[in-house]
Amino acid sequence: MKILVAVKQTAALEEDFEIRDDGLDVDEDFMMYDLNEWDDFSLEEAMKIKESSDTDVEVVVVSVGPDRVDESLRKCLAKGADRAIRVWDDAAEGSDAIVIGRILTEVIKKEAPDMVFAGVQSSDQAYASTGISVASYLNWPHAAVVADLQYKPGDNKAVIRRELEGGMLQEVEINCPAVLTIQLGINKPRYASLRGIKQAATKPIEEVSLAEIGLSANDVGVGKSMSRVRRMYIPEKGRATMIEGTISEQAAKIIQIINEFKGA
Amino acid sequence: MTDPTQITRILFQDFDPKAIYLFYAFGYLAIAIFIHGCYVQVRKYRRGKPDESWNQIFKRFWDMVKTMASHRTLVRRDKKAGRAHGLIFFGFVLLFIGTATITLEYDILEPLFGVRFWYGNFYLLFSLVLDVAGFGVIAGLLYMMYRRKWMNLPKLDYKRVDRQVGDPDYDRSQYRREDWAFLWSFILIGITGFILEATRLVWLSETPSVWDHRFWSPVGALLAHMMEALGMTAEIAGAFRPYLWWFHGLLSLTFIACIPYTKIKHIFTAAASLMFKSPLVGRRLPIIPVEQANAGYKTITDLTWKNLLHLDACTKCGRCQEACPANAVGAPLSPRDVILSLREFANKTLNAKELPAEAELDIHGKSPGQVMQETLWSCRTCLACVEICPVAVEHVPIIVQMRRNLVEAGEMEPILEKTLQTIHKTGNSFGESKRKRAAWAKGLPFEIKDARTEPVDILWFVGDYASFDPRNQKVTRSFAKLLNKAGVNFGLLFEAEMNAGNDIRRVGEEGLYEHLATSNIGTLQSCDFKSIVTTDPHSFNTIRNEYPDFGGAFEINHYTTLVKQLIESGQIKLKKKLDYRVTFHDPCHLGRYNKGYDAPRDVIKLLGCELVEMGRNRDNSFCCGAGGGRIWIPDPVGIEKPSANRMREAGQIEGLDVFIVSCPKDLTMFEDALKTSGFEGQFVVRELIELIDECIEYDVVDITNEAEVITTSD
Ligand code: SF4
Ligand code: SF4
C-alpha cells in the first residue's frame, strides 16, 4: 500500500518587498520559503492512515522544484514520510499549475500509489488546480476540498466529506484509487522538531530528472504552459483622496483625474 | 579516690550471656536489612543514565561538609526549622560518634589488643556531651512536632495541586503518617535513652563510681532524682531496667534497619545530593549527546543516576513549592510534587529485581507517579525552586528534559508550536523580517557601527524583545544614545543577530536552540570585539553560560554592570538626581540565574532614588511569569497571573513612584499587569535605562554633530 503526497514549497513575502526587474515575480531576496500550509494537512492525513493501519503503508512525498525545496521535503521526512522525490529541470521554470500536474502525473505513473493527496491550493499562487489536473491526466476519480476522510488501506472506496459554501458539508463516496485535495483543518498536523528535521537529513531525497519520467524540456516550462504571467504588481493604494481647495480648484482637479483615467 | 578505670559504664552489666548473643543477633540482622536496602537503592541509581558529576570529588565532598556543618541551606527563609534541624542533626551526629566510640573499644580494641580508653575523665566528658546531644535531639524533635501539628504551614500540606480530590495520590496522607512515625520513633529512642540512664543511676545508687559522678549526665541525674522522689528504689530500678533496655535497644536497631526504606535515608541521599549538585544547574541545561536518538525524558530510565538520587534527597520541606510562582497563582504545578511523583515512580519500577517492560516506564501521563503535560508546561524555569532547595534537588533540568520529549512528540500549545516555527523561519519570535532587526535605530542622530564589518570594543546583542517590541524599542534607543554619549565604541550584528535561544531551550526545543546558538556563535566569532553587552537577561544567560558548550566562549555583561562602570568612571555624567521612591524587581535571569543583584541597585542609588525593597527580593524574587517560553503562551483566564501577583506586592509599598525593571520581557509583562492591577496612576513601571536617561542631558549638539559631543559635552 502506498500513498503519494504531492507537496509544494511556497513563498511568503516579507513586509517590505520589491518586484523583480522583469516584473514577473517578487525578488527572491524578499521571500521566505516554507512548506505549503495545506500540504502539512495532506501529509498528516497520509501519516494518520499509515499509523493506524495494520498493514505496511508507504508514504511518498513528491515535489517539483529547485534545490531549495529539499528543505521542505526534509521537513516531511522528519514528520515521518518514508521517501521523498524531487523533480527538477531549469527548463521547468515558469510552468503553470497544469504543467506541474503533468510532471507529477509521470512520477505517479512510475510510483503506482493507491491514493494521491494534494493540498487544496498553494498559499502563494492559489491556482487550486495542480491536484485536479493530476486526476485528469491520470483519469482517476477526484474530490476537492476534502474536510474529512474515511479510508483504510485496501478499501476500494473512500467516504469523504467536502466543504461547501455556507457551512454545508457534502458526503461523497469515491472509488479508489483517487486524487483528493485536502482542506485545512482536516486534522492537526504534527510538529517537526528541529532535531527531527536534522535527523531526516540523513534520509536521501531522490532527485529525478525529466528524462527519467519520460519527459523532455519541451514538455515543460513557460512554453508549454497554457497560461503565462504577464506582470506582477502592487495595486496603487490610497485611491480615495480628499480633494481640497476652492470649488473651482476642486473641479479642475476632478477633470484632471478623469482625463488620467481615460488615458489622456 | 576511685580508680579512674572504674569510672565507666559496664556494658551489658548483669546480662545473661545468652541475652547478649541475642542482642548481637538482632544487631547483625538490622545491619543486614540496612545493607540490603542500600543495595536496592544503589541498584536503582545504577539503572539511570550516566552523568559526569564525579569530577572534583574531594572538592565536592568538602563543599558538602561545609554546607552541612553550617546548615546554611536549612536556615534560609525558615530560621527556626533550620535551627531545630541543626539540633537534631548535630545531636544525632554526636550520638552516632559516641556509639561508634564505644564499639571501637568494646568490640575491636579491647578484645583484640586489650586497649581501653573509655573511662575516667574521658568517660565523664563523653557522658556530658552525649547527654547534651540527646537533649538537643529531643528539643529539636519537639519543635518539629509542634510545627507539624500546630503551625498549619501550607508548605507542609501535601495535598496536590495537580490532582483532583479523590485521585488515588491526591492527599499523600501516607507521607504524613511516615513523618509522624519518624518523629515518634526518634523521640522515643531519645526519651527511653534518658530514662534508661536514670534507671541505671537509681539502680547503682549505692555504687560510688557511678553515683558520685552522676551530674556528668545531667539529664539522667535529674530524672534519677525525680524517680527516687517518686519512690523508685534500687531494686525496682534493677527489675525495670532490662525491659527498658530491650525496648530502647530494639527500637534503635529497627530505626537503623529502616533507614534505606524510609524518609530517614535522607541522611545519606541529601548529603550525596548536595555533594553532586551542579554549579550551573538550570543556567546551563544539559546537552543531548550526539549518539542519543530521542530528545529528553520519556521513561524513568532516561533519568540520570544523579536525577534519581535527587529524587530521593527531597525531604518534602515544601520550600520549593512556597517559592514557585506557578504554584502561587494556582497553576497545577508544585516542584515538590514533580519530584515526589517521579520518586514514587522510580521506587515502584526500579526497586524491582527485574526492570519492567518499556511501556510501564513512561513517566508522562495522569496515573500515579506520572507527570502531566499541564504541569510541565506551567513551569516558568525561574529557578526559584532549585535556588531554595536545602538539599540541592535540581527540578528544572528534569522538567525541561521532560518537555523536550513533549516537544519532540508535538505535545504543546498550538500557539507555542507556531512561535517555534516562526523562530525557525525568521530567527525571531516576532516573525519579523531579519532586515528589520535594527529598524529601531532609524531616526537616531548617529550611525551605529556594523560589528560584522568593523572592529568595536563592545558588541551589543540586542535580543528579540528589545529589537522588535515597540515599547521596548524606546528603551533600546535610549540605551544607544547613552552608549553614544559615553563615547563607547560599540556595534550591532544587525540582521545577522538571531534569537539567542535561551527561552527556546527552556521550552525544550533543543534542536532549534542548537540551530540558533550555533549560528549566533558563528556570527560572533567572525566579528572583532572585546566584550558583549545586552539589555536582555535571557540572552545574557544563555550566551554567558550555555554558548561555551557549543564552542562560543565570550565575555558578556548585562547593561547594569556596564552602566555602573560608566557612571563611576565619569564617562556618563548624571546632570540631576531623581527623588523617586522606587522598588526594584530582580529579573530571574539576571538575579537568581547570574547573581546580578547589586549592579542595578547601585545604579538606582547613584541616580538618587530611594530604594524600597519588596518582600520578595534578590534570590527570592518573584518571576514575572514570562520565563521558560511562557511569554508565548497566554496564561489561562480566571487565575491570577504571576505578574499581577507581583503588582499587588509592589502596591503595598507606600508612596511608590516607580517599579523598576531591567529586562525587556519584564517591561512588557508588568506594564500589562499594572493596567489591570488597580494601581494604575499610583505608580509606573519603568526600565532602569529610562530613569538613567532622565538624568543625562543630551544637548542639541548631540543631534547635529556627534563627533563634537565627545569632546565638548563636558
Ligand atoms: S522553575 Fe519556577 S516555575 Fe518552575 S517549578 Fe521551579 S519555581 Fe516553579
Ligand atoms: S525539593 Fe527541595 S525544597 Fe522542594 S520539598 Fe524537596 S527538599 Fe524541599
Side-chain angles (χ1 to χ4, degrees):
Chain A
M1 161 73 192
K2 188 191 277 188
I3 303 175
L4 187 138
V5 184
V7 300
K8 180 183 180 187
Q9 187 182 50
T10 55
L13 298 184
E14 292 187 1
E15 215 169 296
D16 305 312
F17 58 87
E18 286 164 24
I19 304 279
R20 216 159 63 189
D21 288 343
D22 65 7
L24 295 181
D25 206 341
V26 172
D27 191 334
E28 250 195 86
D29 276 2
F30 299 91
M31 293 186 186
M32 288 181 281
Y33 291 106
D34 200 357
L35 188 66
N36 179 30
E37 204 187 340
W38 276 264
D39 301 345
D40 276 327
F41 291 86
S42 47
L43 174 62
E44 183 65 33
E45 203 56 25
M47 288 306 301
K48 272 173 63 186
I49 295 171
K50 175 182 166 78
E51 283 164 357
S52 61
S53 158
D54 311 327
T55 56
D56 257 358
V57 176
E58 190 183 23
V59 173
V60 183
V61 286
V62 184
S63 189
V64 180
D67 291 353
R68 59 171 160 76
V69 174
D70 282 355
E71 201 189 313
S72 294
L73 289 175
R74 218 158 270 132
K75 196 165 154 190
C76 299
L77 290 171
K79 290 182 174 207
D82 298 290
R83 282 166 52 219
I85 301 172
R86 180 171 64 82
V87 194
W88 190 240
D89 189 304
D90 287 342
E93 186 70 52
S95 301
D96 69 0
I98 311 298
V99 171
I100 301 288
R102 172 82 206 283
I103 300 172
L104 289 171
T105 303
E106 296 308 322
V107 179
I108 291 165
K109 282 186 187 153
K110 259 187 86 180
E111 287 290 326
D114 300 278
M115 270 304 221
V116 173
F117 293 168
V120 167
Q121 62 178 66
S122 60
S123 55
D124 52 358
Q125 304 284 355
Y127 280 115
S129 46
T130 311
I132 300 310
S133 71
V134 167
S136 144
Y137 281 121
L138 287 171
N139 206 13
W140 280 12
H142 70 80
V145 205
V146 174
D148 183 68
L149 169 64
Q150 285 158 33
Y151 171 76
K152 280 195 312 300
D155 289 358
N156 55 7
K157 282 193 182 69
V159 177
I160 55 168
R161 293 208 187 106
R162 300 182 54 241
E163 227 176 65
L164 302 182
E165 284 297 305
M168 282 249 292
L169 282 180
Q170 181 187 53
E171 200 168 281
V172 181
E173 193 182 82
I174 190 167
N175 292 349
C176 300
V179 178
L180 307 180
T181 63
I182 307 288
Q183 175 62 317
L184 301 178
I186 184 172
N187 50 40
K188 184 190 169 292
R190 66 197 62 196
Y191 177 73
S193 77
L194 259 268
R195 279 174 54 83
I197 295 174
K198 247 187 236 168
Q199 282 162 353
T202 52
K203 290 198 202 173
I205 292 173
E206 299 157 43
E207 288 179 28
V208 173
S209 66
L210 292 178
E212 282 167 80
I213 48 172
L215 295 175
S216 74
N218 296 330
D219 298 318
V220 299
V222 191
K224 199 66 187 173
S225 297
M226 285 179 281
S227 67
R228 282 160 299 277
V229 178
R230 279 176 56 189
R231 76 177 169 125
M232 199 119 129
Y233 67 102
I234 307 159
E236 272 171 57
K237 268 192 261 170
R239 298 222 158 179
T241 40
M242 182 65 80
I243 298 168
E244 316 219 21
T246 62
I247 305 278
S248 57
E249 278 166 0
Q250 288 181 21
K253 184 80 190 165
I254 291 171
I255 292 167
Q256 187 197 337
I257 292 171
I258 293 171
N259 283 336
E260 266 171 29
F261 265 92
K262 274 163 55 188
Chain B
M1 184 79 205
T2 353
D3 172 5
T5 56
Q6 298 296 307
I7 306 173
T8 183
R9 191 169 94 216
I10 301 168
L11 295 178
F12 303 110
Q13 192 173 1
D14 289 0
F15 268 53
D16 184 334
K18 281 205 212 86
I20 301 180
Y21 291 139
L22 189 63
F23 179 74
Y24 269 81
F26 280 127
Y28 287 126
L29 180 65
I31 292 172
I33 296 173
F34 172 85
I35 290 176
H36 177 259
C38 292
Y39 162 74
V40 170
Q41 296 306 308
V42 171
R43 183 177 62 190
K44 173 173 74 182
Y45 303 142
R46 291 176 60 97
R47 283 172 170 167
K49 293 259 160 357
D51 184 283
E52 310 278 288
S53 298
W54 285 103
N55 58 2
Q56 297 188 301
I57 198 82
F58 293 109
K59 184 179 175 306
R60 281 174 177 282
F61 183 77
W62 181 233
D63 286 345
M64 177 267 282
V65 171
K66 280 194 289 189
T67 310
M68 299 222 308
S70 65
H71 256 51
R72 178 173 63 80
T73 57
L74 275 137
V75 290
R76 290 183 56 206
R77 281 180 228 162
D78 200 341
K79 271 218 177 67
K80 286 195 189 134
R83 291 193 181 137
H85 186 275
L87 285 177
I88 303 171
F89 170 77
F90 290 109
F92 185 82
V93 168
L94 287 173
L95 289 169
F96 178 78
I97 295 176
T99 312
T101 313
I102 300 174
T103 309
L104 183 69
E105 180 185 286
Y106 187 79
D107 292 319
I108 302 172
L109 293 183
E110 199 185 2
L112 294 184
F113 310 104
V115 178
R116 281 188 64 203
F117 56 83
W118 193 50
Y119 59 80
N121 288 341
F122 175 73
Y123 168 76
L124 293 177
L125 192 68
F126 177 98
S127 303
L128 178 66
V129 170
L130 288 208
D131 242 43
V132 172
F135 185 75
V137 169
I138 292 177
L141 287 168
L142 281 175
Y143 176 77
M144 291 307 198
M145 289 175 141
Y146 162 76
R147 180 168 176 266
R148 280 196 188 273
K149 182 81 192 163
W150 285 286
M151 284 174 69
N152 286 326
L153 298 173
K155 64 182 168 186
L156 293 184
D157 183 355
Y158 300 144
K159 281 200 204 77
R160 296 183 59 165
V161 287
D162 54 345
R163 293 289 194 274
Q164 304 298 321
V165 188
D167 280 355
D169 49 352
Y170 168 68
D171 77 345
R172 291 205 153 131
S173 47
Q174 186 52 40
Y175 283 128
R176 231 174 22 242
R177 284 192 283 276
E178 189 191 7
D179 289 338
W180 281 105
F182 169 75
L183 287 172
W184 274 113
S185 53
F186 204 177
I187 208 164
L188 270 181
I189 291 174
I191 293 171
T192 53
F194 278 122
I195 299 178
L196 190 59
E197 186 175 49
T199 313
R200 172 175 172 268
L201 287 174
V202 178
W203 174 47
L204 299 175
S205 54
E206 300 300 323
T207 315
S209 65
V210 173
W211 186 250
D212 291 356
H213 304 284
R214 64 188 179 282
F215 282 108
W216 287 93
S217 312
V219 181
L222 208 69
L223 280 174
H225 280 288
M226 279 161 61
M227 285 168 160
E228 283 192 328
L230 288 170
M232 188 183 262
T233 60
E235 290 78 59
I236 302 178
F240 180 45
R241 178 175 160 266
Y243 297 104
L244 199 60
W245 191 96
W246 277 103
F247 180 75
H248 176 78
L250 289 182
L251 193 60
S252 304
L253 289 179
T254 312
F255 191 83
I256 292 170
C258 283
I259 290 177
Y261 305 91
T262 58
K263 71 179 267 183
I264 319 172
K265 72 170 155 218
H266 83 274
I267 305 172
F268 297 109
T269 51
S273 171
L274 280 166
M275 180 159 137
F276 288 113
K277 75 171 184 203
S278 312
L280 284 177
V281 50
R283 297 146 182 97
R284 175 182 292 177
L285 291 170
I287 53 170
I288 301 178
V290 204
E291 67 282 357
Q292 189 178 314
N294 296 314
Y297 292 171
K298 175 160 179 59
T299 63
I300 191 76
T301 44
D302 286 333
L303 273 72
T304 65
W305 63 260
K306 186 169 116 92
N307 294 143
L308 294 169
L309 176 69
H310 285 314
L311 301 183
D312 272 346
C314 172
T315 56
K316 313 189 294 297
C317 73
R319 293 176 203 222
C320 55
Q321 174 173 322
E322 198 175 46
C324 175
N327 191 268
V329 298
L333 162 66
S334 151
R336 172 174 66 190
D337 284 338
V338 173
I339 296 301
L340 292 181
S341 287
L342 292 173
R343 173 206 284 188
E344 288 155 22
F345 196 98
N347 284 341
K348 197 176 73 198
T349 51
L350 304 184
N351 279 355
K353 203 160 178 197
E354 297 291 331
L355 210 57
E358 176 91 10
E360 285 168 45
L361 299 176
D362 193 341
I363 46 179
H364 293 272
K366 292 189 186 326
S367 306
Q370 291 182 320
V371 182
M372 303 191 308
Q373 270 184 44
E374 296 85 327
T375 301
L376 295 170
W377 287 122
S378 296
C379 174
R380 282 124 215 277
T381 64
C382 71
L383 234 49
C385 48
V386 173
E387 204 270 342
I388 192 59
C389 178
V391 297
V393 171
E394 299 176 352
H395 322 66
V396 172
I398 296 179
I399 291 176
V400 173
Q401 288 276 25
M402 290 189 73
R403 282 188 187 179
R404 283 178 179 171
N405 186 260
L406 292 179
V407 168
E408 198 99 313
E411 309 271 10
M412 59 184 134
E413 295 269 345
I415 188 158
L416 177 62
E417 202 176 298
K418 263 248 132 55
T419 310
L420 295 176
Q421 283 164 341
T422 303
I423 295 171
H424 178 210
K425 226 187 292 180
T426 62
N428 66 76
S429 58
F430 287 75
E432 294 278 3
S433 124
K434 288 190 173 74
R435 255 179 282 262
K436 296 188 120 178
R437 175 65 74 173
W440 56 266
K442 264 188 215 136
L444 280 178
F446 50 87
E447 282 278 313
I448 299 182
K449 287 187 182 168
D450 186 340
R452 295 169 300 171
T453 54
E454 55 185 315
V456 291
D457 289 340
I458 289 187
L459 188 142
W460 177 8
F461 193 97
V462 188
D464 281 4
Y465 262 77
S467 297
F468 296 110
D469 174 61
R471 172 66 180 91
N472 275 293
Q473 283 178 342
K474 278 195 223 158
V475 179
T476 308
R477 272 194 291 276
S478 296
F479 188 60
K481 284 199 311 193
L482 182 151
L483 287 179
N484 180 60
K485 171 95 179 177
V488 175
N489 176 15
F490 73 102
L492 309 176
L493 294 178
F494 289 90
E495 59 263 39
E497 181 186 310
M498 302 244 241
N499 184 304
N502 185 74
D503 296 20
I504 288 125
R505 190 167 214 202
R506 276 150 191 80
V507 159
E509 210 335 347
E510 186 66 2
L512 183 53
Y513 173 74
E514 284 170 14
H515 167 71
L516 296 169
T518 47
S519 61
N520 277 327
I521 290 171
T523 312
L524 287 167
Q525 279 169 343
S526 69
C527 301
D528 184 355
F529 62 89
K530 295 203 183 91
S531 67
I532 306 176
V533 73
T534 181
T535 61
D536 173 27
H538 296 241
S539 304
F540 174 57
N541 178 65
T542 194
I543 295 176
R544 180 181 192 211
N545 295 320
E546 297 185 314
Y547 279 19
D549 266 355
F550 297 86
F554 307 105
E555 192 197 321
I556 180 165
N557 286 303
H558 186 248
Y559 82 86
T560 44
T561 310
L562 177 70
V563 167
K564 188 183 161 211
Q565 282 166 10
L566 291 175
I567 298 178
E568 284 176 348
S569 69
Q571 274 171 282
I572 293 181
K573 293 235 173 332
L574 302 173
K575 299 285 177 181
K576 70 171 188 193
K577 292 268 174 187
L578 303 176
D579 56 357
Y580 302 142
R581 196 171 161 86
V582 302
T583 192
F584 177 68
H585 166 82
D586 291 274
C588 305
H589 285 81
L590 178 61
R592 256 194 305 275
Y593 269 75
N594 289 293
K595 306 275 171 274
Y597 304 121
D598 294 324
R601 287 181 171 76
D602 293 343
V603 173
I604 290 171
K605 284 178 198 142
L606 286 169
L607 297 180
C609 297
E610 180 201 352
L611 177 63
V612 187
E613 295 284 359
M614 287 179 277
R616 295 174 291 190
N617 62 60
R618 301 173 79 98
D619 51 14
N620 192 21
S621 179
F622 191 74
C623 175
C624 73
R630 286 295 317 204
I631 193 144
W632 301 312
I633 311 171
D635 279 311
V637 282
I639 66 170
E640 187 181 44
K641 294 179 178 30
S643 51
N645 182 296
R646 188 63 156 167
M647 283 298 106
R648 273 200 288 130
E649 186 177 12
Q652 284 159 16
I653 300 178
E654 217 152 298
L656 181 69
D657 298 309
V658 191
F659 180 94
I660 303 182
V661 297
S662 61
C663 165
K665 290 190 176 94
D666 276 337
L667 189 61
T668 305
M669 297 300 280
F670 289 126
E671 279 204 338
D672 271 358
L674 181 63
K675 286 182 199 134
T676 52
S677 67
F679 294 109
E680 204 175 20
Q682 288 182 38
F683 62 88
V684 292
V685 176
R686 287 285 177 272
E687 166 53 81
L688 180 55
I689 293 170
E690 297 178 281
L691 296 195
I692 304 168
D693 191 67
E694 280 186 41
C695 298
I696 305 179
E697 253 175 47
Y698 294 104
D699 29 31
V700 202
V701 195
D702 273 17
I703 296 163
T704 52
N705 190 340
E706 53 133 347
E708 236 171 72
V709 172
I710 296 157
T711 49
T712 61
S713 64
D714 297 347

